[in-house]
Every structure is written in C-alpha cells, then in structure tokens.
C-alpha cells in the first residue's frame, strides 16, 4: 500500500504555523495552535522526508533570535552585578525556550537531528549557536568574565554577592564548554595575585599564629566557594594556588618568626596548625630542621649551665617530656621528627665531655638511695629511673658513667 502523499505546499503552510509557535515561545506569548496539531505537522514532514528542509528553517529562526539576544547585551550597564543579572536572564530564557522548542520538534530531533545531522540534539544546536555569538561578542564575553571575577573579589573581601547569579554564570560557561579556557585560567591567576598581596600584608601586620588561623579560614572559604557555585574541577588547582601563595611562599618566614616562640610557649594547637599547613606544601623537612635546631640549642643551654648542675638531670627530664608531648600532640608523632630530636639530644648531651655522664650516674645513685622513702614510693622511683635510662642511651661516654656509677654503688654497699 502506497504511503499517502502530502498536500501541495504542506511544508510552507505547516512551517508558517510552526514559525508562529516558535516566535511565540521566543517572545513568551501563548502558542495559538494546539501542541498536538503542531507535533503532528512535524511528524508528517519527517515521515515524508522533509526533515532536512524543516531543520534548516528552524535553525534559521533560532540563529537569528540567539544573535539578537546576545547583541542586545552589548553596551549595557557598566555595573557588573546588574550586567551579570542581565546575562543570566538571557541564558535562562535561552534554556527554557530551547526546551520548549525541542519538545515541539521532538520527532524531528529524534529521527533526524540526532541520527543524521551529526548533532546530538536540537539542544546542542542551540548551545553551539549561543556559544558562537557569545564568543563573537568580545565586549559581552570579557565583561562577563571580568564582572564575575570582580564579584568573587568582593566576596573575598567580605561582601555578600548573589549566589544564584554566580551559580548561573558557572552553569552557562560550563554548558558552553568555555569554562576552563575563558574563565578558570584567569580566575586562578587572579586568585594567586589576591593571596600574594594579602599574605605579604598580613605577615607584616600579624603574629604568625594569627596568620595561620587566617590561612586555615581562607582555605576553608575557597573549598566552600567550589561547593557553592564553582565547577568541581576547579577545587584542586584552586586549593593548590592558595597553598602556594599563603604557605609555600612563606615557609622560611613562618619558621624563622613563629616556630621558636610557639615551641617556647608549648603552643600545641598553633604548632599542630603549622605542622598541618606545612604538610600541605611538602615543607615538613624544613620544620624538622627547625625542630632539631631548637632542641639542640635549648638542650645546650641546660647542659652548659654550670651554675645549675644540681638540677641538670631534672631539667633535662622535664625538657625531654615537654618535647615528647609536643611531638605526640602537635606533630602527629612523626617518626622523622622523632629521629631528628634524638640526634639533637645526642649532640647536646655530649657537648660537655664526660660531665653529663657523671651527673646522671650520681642522680641515679641518689634515687636508688632514696628508694621507697621518697614521696612517690618505689613505683614513682622506678618510672623516673626508666626516663633517666633514656638519657643514658644518648651518652657517648658510657664508660665514664659506668665508672662513676660503680664507684657510688661501692660506697653505698659499704655503708
């Protein structure tokens, strides 16, 4: 059975009604003809191999409307926030209109556009047109990018900005496949410049501990910015750019100006914050060097203080306990740090020939003599002696220790 032929001029008469419907969609008016009637026209044209002609007619109308929509943005308000609002309105209107047009021409979309024209859908055809005119309107495109960067800069300075505007701009740039090339590269460069200026200023105005709190806050803000409206792909390079300018560029300054005061004050929370920030930029080796230098210098002051020889061992025990606590609580028990501390301890304990060995031997002898008579009893004495043994292991002059210890032990046994 032969397929019924189309009436003469069916394409022209049908397109007139379809064009009126598309125009109504573009101008947000009520479509006069029924959707079912229009859909049947599209179906009939496609079934009678008029898809290519119909598609060209539709694309012509779409192209003209999108071109006019983009050109209407040229020379608009210099106020960035207001301009971005106009752009997002234009973009959202385009998306809504393209969805309505695709629904109307769904049969054409499924049987011709997707299958035969090399396009994925009428939606993609519209996107390509929007991208063509958007990128062609250099003034509009540059104003969008710079306006969006300005909005983010204001937000970083504490101002409230429109979340919906930011979200819609990002969605538009991503959908047009120009987010990375046209926005992200410039955004990351501006981010680096912003935090380079800010870090230089704050390091001159604030204590290191306050600066590190600020850095933690900034890193959290940038992660939240990605979660709120930026594309997820931006998270890693954004955080990396922030870490570079806020931390990596100032590692030596942070350690030179901040590490020693924090160690002296046993500022566990601040030291843990420093450890975490430096770990982000692979600078723990620098912190380890600073730790070793601090332990060695403070240990030398204790060992070289001849006026306080009677308190040498108790002072060393307290110093070691303090350092062990900081290692555990602030530096996550880092094994490299532990080795650096042990090397530094060995260096300062052996800086005064055999005198520390002699004093440690006498201290142990005194503790054994006291024994259970002491305030804490035998258990406390035993615990104390275990800590002293740790100091003993650092001694190079173990033979000197042994000689003094045997001498004192012999006196004790003769009593």
């Amino acid at each position: 059975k032969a397929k019924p032929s189309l009436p003469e001029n069916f394409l022209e008469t049908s397109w007139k009604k379809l064009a009126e419907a598309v125009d109504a969609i573009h101008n947000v008016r009520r479509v006069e003809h029924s959707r079912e009637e229009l859909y049947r026209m599209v179906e009939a044209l496609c079934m009678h191999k008029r898809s290519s002609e119909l598609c060209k007619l539709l694309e012509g109308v779409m192209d003209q409307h999108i071109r006019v929509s983009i050109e209407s943005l040229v020379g608009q308000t210099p106020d960035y926030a207001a301009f971005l609002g106009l752009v997002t309105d234009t973009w959202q209107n385009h998306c809504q209109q393209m969805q309505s047009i695709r629904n109307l021409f769904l049969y054409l979309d499924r049987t011709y556009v997707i299958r035969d024209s090399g396009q994925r859908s009428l939606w993609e055809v519209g996107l390509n047109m929007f991208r063509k005119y958007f990128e062609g309107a250099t003034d509009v495109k540059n104003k969008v990018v710079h306006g969006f960067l300005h909005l983010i800069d204001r937000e970083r300075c504490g101002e409230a900005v429109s979340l919906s505007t930011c979200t819609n701009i990002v969605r538009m740039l991503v959908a047009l496949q120009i987010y990375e090339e046209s926005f992200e590269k410039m955004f990351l460069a501006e981010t680096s410049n912003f935090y380079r200026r800010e870090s230089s200023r704050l390091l001159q105005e604030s204590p290191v501990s306050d600066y590190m709190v600020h850095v933690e806050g900034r890193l959290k803000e940038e992660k939240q910015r990605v979660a709120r409206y930026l594309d997820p792909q931006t998270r890693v390079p954004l955080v990396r750019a922030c870490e570079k300018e806020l931390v990596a560029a100032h590692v030596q300054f942070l350690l030179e100006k901040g590490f020693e005061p924090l160690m002296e004050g046993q500022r566990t929370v601040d030291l843990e914050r420093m450890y975490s920030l430096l770990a982000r930029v692979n600078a723990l080796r620098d912190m380890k060097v600073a730790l070793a230098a601090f332990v060695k210098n403070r240990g030398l002051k204790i060992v070289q203080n001849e006026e306080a020889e009677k308190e040498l061992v108790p002072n060393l025990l307290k110093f070691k306990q303090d350092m062990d606590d900081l290692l555990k609580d602030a530096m996550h028990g880092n094994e490299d740090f532990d080795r650096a501390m042990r090397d530094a301890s060995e260096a300062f304990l052996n800086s005064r020939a055999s005198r520390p060995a002699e004093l440690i031997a006498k201290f142990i002898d005194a503790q054994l003599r006291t024994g259970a008579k002491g305030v804490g009893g035998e258990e406390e004495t035993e615990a104390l002696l275990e800590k002293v043994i740790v100091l003993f292991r650092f001694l190079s002059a173990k033979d000197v220790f042994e000689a003094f210890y045997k001498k004192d032990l012999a006196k004790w046994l003769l009593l």
Side-chain angles (χ1 to χ4, degrees):
K1 186 178 180 180
K3 183 187 298 184
S5 61
L6 291 175
E8 190 177 352
N9 299 326
F10 184 76
L11 174 61
E12 290 75 10
T13 55
S14 296
W15 174 245
K16 182 180 179 182
K17 292 181 180 180
L18 290 168
E20 289 174 356
V22 172
D23 185 69
I25 291 171
H26 281 154
N27 292 282
V28 198
R29 298 195 312 269
R30 186 175 67 86
V31 177
E32 296 295 333
H33 304 284
S34 74
R35 300 274 175 163
E36 184 177 357
E37 178 189 0
L38 295 170
Y39 185 88
R40 294 303 175 194
M41 289 178 183
V42 173
E43 183 180 19
L45 288 167
C46 291
M47 292 181 68
H48 287 81
K49 303 187 183 302
R50 309 301 294 271
S51 302
S52 177
E53 298 165 87
L54 178 60
C55 191
K56 286 179 181 178
L57 289 169
L58 176 59
E59 287 181 4
V61 173
M62 287 166 50
D63 188 89
Q64 181 181 5
H65 176 75
I66 292 171
R67 176 179 58 79
V68 171
S69 296
I70 299 295
E71 288 177 352
S72 69
L73 295 170
V74 176
Q76 287 286 359
T77 174
D79 180 272
Y80 280 137
F83 180 73
L84 292 176
L86 292 175
V87 173
T88 57
D89 288 344
T90 300
W91 169 249
Q92 288 181 312
N93 288 338
H94 168 79
C95 293
Q96 292 167 1
Q97 291 162 8
M98 283 307 306
Q99 187 61 50
S100 297
I101 290 171
R102 184 173 183 273
N103 289 340
L104 187 60
F105 290 85
L106 188 60
Y107 196 89
L108 174 70
D109 196 43
R110 289 178 173 174
T111 61
Y112 174 74
V113 178
I114 295 175
R115 190 180 65 188
D116 298 326
S117 73
Q119 303 278 5
R120 286 193 295 181
S121 68
L122 283 172
W123 175 266
E124 186 179 82
V125 173
L127 278 182
N128 291 336
M129 290 176 180
F130 198 100
R131 178 168 54 248
K132 176 180 69 175
Y133 289 113
F134 181 79
E135 293 205 286
T138 308
D139 174 70
V140 174
K141 178 183 174 183
N142 290 342
K143 203 169 178 181
V144 167
V145 173
H146 290 294
F148 190 24
L149 292 174
H150 177 72
L151 221 60
I152 294 172
D153 190 74
R154 283 172 48 193
E155 187 178 42
R156 282 174 173 157
C157 292
E159 294 185 42
V161 299
S162 170
L163 177 59
S164 62
T165 296
C166 294
T167 302
N168 286 322
I169 290 295
V170 169
R171 287 176 179 172
M172 179 187 77
L173 296 175
V174 171
L176 297 176
Q177 297 180 347
I178 59 174
Y179 176 87
E180 184 176 355
E181 187 64 31
S182 299
F183 168 73
E184 188 182 64
K185 289 183 178 179
M186 194 176 296
F187 168 65
L188 294 174
E190 287 297 311
T191 296
S192 295
N193 291 334
F194 180 89
Y195 285 121
R196 187 178 302 122
R197 294 191 301 268
E198 182 180 82
S199 61
S200 297
R201 174 176 57 81
L202 289 178
L203 283 170
Q204 299 303 317
E205 299 174 355
S206 312
V208 168
S209 56
D210 291 349
Y211 176 78
M212 293 191 298
V213 171
H214 178 80
V215 171
E216 276 194 338
R218 281 302 200 187
L219 292 173
K220 183 178 179 181
E221 285 175 19
E222 295 302 331
K223 289 178 182 177
Q224 290 174 340
R225 201 181 318 284
V226 175
R228 287 166 58 230
Y229 57 79
L230 293 176
D231 190 74
Q233 74 173 32
T234 304
R235 185 179 185 275
V236 172
L238 174 58
V239 171
R240 191 173 294 147
C242 296
E243 290 172 343
K244 179 181 177 182
E245 298 302 333
L246 291 169
V247 184
H250 307 289
V251 169
Q252 292 307 316
F253 184 92
L254 294 173
L255 290 170
E256 289 172 8
K257 299 295 183 181
F259 185 73
E260 188 173 313
L262 296 181
M263 291 293 290
E264 291 281 12
Q266 297 183 53
R267 303 267 291 277
T268 304
V269 174
D270 289 323
L271 283 167
E272 198 279 333
R273 184 174 289 116
M274 177 179 281
Y275 181 93
S276 297
L277 289 175
L278 295 187
R280 285 173 168 269
V281 297
N282 298 316
L284 287 182
R285 184 174 181 178
D286 298 276
M287 189 175 182
K288 181 184 72 173
V289 171
L291 174 65
F294 177 85
V295 171
K296 183 178 179 180
N297 291 335
R298 290 301 172 275
L300 282 172
K301 286 184 178 181
I302 297 172
V303 171
Q304 299 292 340
N305 188 354
E306 296 182 11
E307 296 180 0
E309 280 192 346
K310 292 183 178 180
E311 298 301 317
L312 174 71
V313 177
N315 288 342
L316 286 176
L317 291 175
K318 182 180 184 308
F319 177 63
K320 186 177 188 310
Q321 186 62 57
D322 290 343
M323 293 302 98
D324 287 346
D325 289 343
L326 289 176
L327 176 69
K328 174 177 172 290
D329 298 330
M331 302 165 198
H332 302 188
N334 186 300
E335 292 183 3
D336 289 339
F337 281 37
D338 184 36
R339 279 192 291 272
M341 282 176 52
R342 284 191 271 115
D343 291 343
S345 298
E346 184 175 345
F348 72 68
L349 265 172
N350 294 291
S351 65
R352 199 178 159 198
S354 60
R355 188 57 176 163
E358 179 183 350
L359 293 172
I360 290 174
K362 291 183 177 297
F363 181 83
I364 292 177
D365 178 68
Q367 293 302 313
L368 290 173
R369 287 175 184 275
T370 304
K373 298 177 183 178
V375 178
E378 290 184 0
E379 290 185 3
E380 185 172 313
T381 300
E382 185 176 344
L384 181 61
L385 290 175
E386 287 180 2
K387 294 179 180 179
V388 178
I389 292 300
V390 175
L391 297 180
F392 166 76
R393 294 194 183 110
F394 295 131
L395 293 174
S396 296
K398 291 183 173 64
D399 55 335
V400 176
F401 170 88
E402 184 180 0
F404 278 105
Y405 183 71
K406 286 181 177 179
K407 179 182 176 182
D408 291 330
L409 180 60
K411 290 181 180 178
W412 184 36
L413 292 174
L414 290 172
L415 290 177

